[in-house]
Amino acid sequence: MRPPLKKIDFFQGDKVEVCSNEPGFLGSYYEANIVSRLDNGLYVVCYKNLLEDDESKPLTETIYPKELRPVPPKIHTTQFLPYEKVDAFDNDGWWVGEITGRNGSHYYVYFTSSNEEIAYHYSKIRVHHDWVNGEWVLSNKS
């Protein structure tokens, strides 16, 4: 029998990441701040990098709790290993991929979701963590 899932509450001002369920963006995460928690248990978030359609201000959305997670812990590094699972920052969000090569300070990241390999400066890559049952787990190789 699996242990019950831990429920996490977020509070106004908490930094979070929001999982996208949109076609073509599935599995990507976007940085946001909690604006409020509604009486029905949903959260209002304000995105750090996504803008309203008219680009006049940051996008604000109402989100289900299951689409939220805290910001993962930071591991400062400039070195990544071949086949290491990482997150790369692109198109205003974090995308899961794996290291396939290196050229100086740039690493090639392969994304199974799109079958693409893209080079990123190491500053746009972070060590991947999985959010499992209310805790961050360091993800080794994919």
Side-chain angles (χ1 to χ4, degrees), residues 33-117:
N33 288 316
I34 298 291
V35 174
S36 63
R37 182 176 178 193
L38 304 176
D39 290 339
N40 62 5
L42 300 179
Y43 289 92
V44 177
V45 300
C46 180
Y47 289 95
K48 178 179 177 183
N49 299 307
L50 300 180
L51 300 175
E52 295 282 353
D53 288 339
D54 65 3
E55 299 186 359
S56 64
K57 60 184 177 180
L59 177 63
T60 301
E61 283 188 320
T62 301
I63 302 293
Y64 288 99
K66 67 182 180 183
E67 297 173 299
L68 296 174
R69 68 183 191 183
V71 174
K74 287 188 173 149
I75 296 177
H76 296 285
T77 185
T78 59
Q79 302 285 320
F80 297 96
L81 300 173
Y83 309 109
E84 182 176 357
K85 199 170 184 182
V86 297
D87 299 330
F89 190 80
D90 200 348
N91 291 325
D92 299 318
W94 292 100
W95 301 76
V96 179
E98 83 174 31
I99 298 294
T100 55
R102 180 180 180 183
N103 184 1
S105 60
H106 287 77
Y107 285 88
Y108 292 93
V109 180
Y110 175 74
F111 303 96
T112 56
S113 60
S114 62
N115 197 29
E116 291 179 285
E117 183 180 56

Side-chain angles (χ1 to χ4, degrees), residues 87-90 94 120-126:
D87 299 330
F89 190 80
D90 200 348
W94 292 100
Y120 295 94
H121 188 267
Y122 72 82
S123 64
K124 297 289 185 184
I125 302 172
R126 68 183 184 191

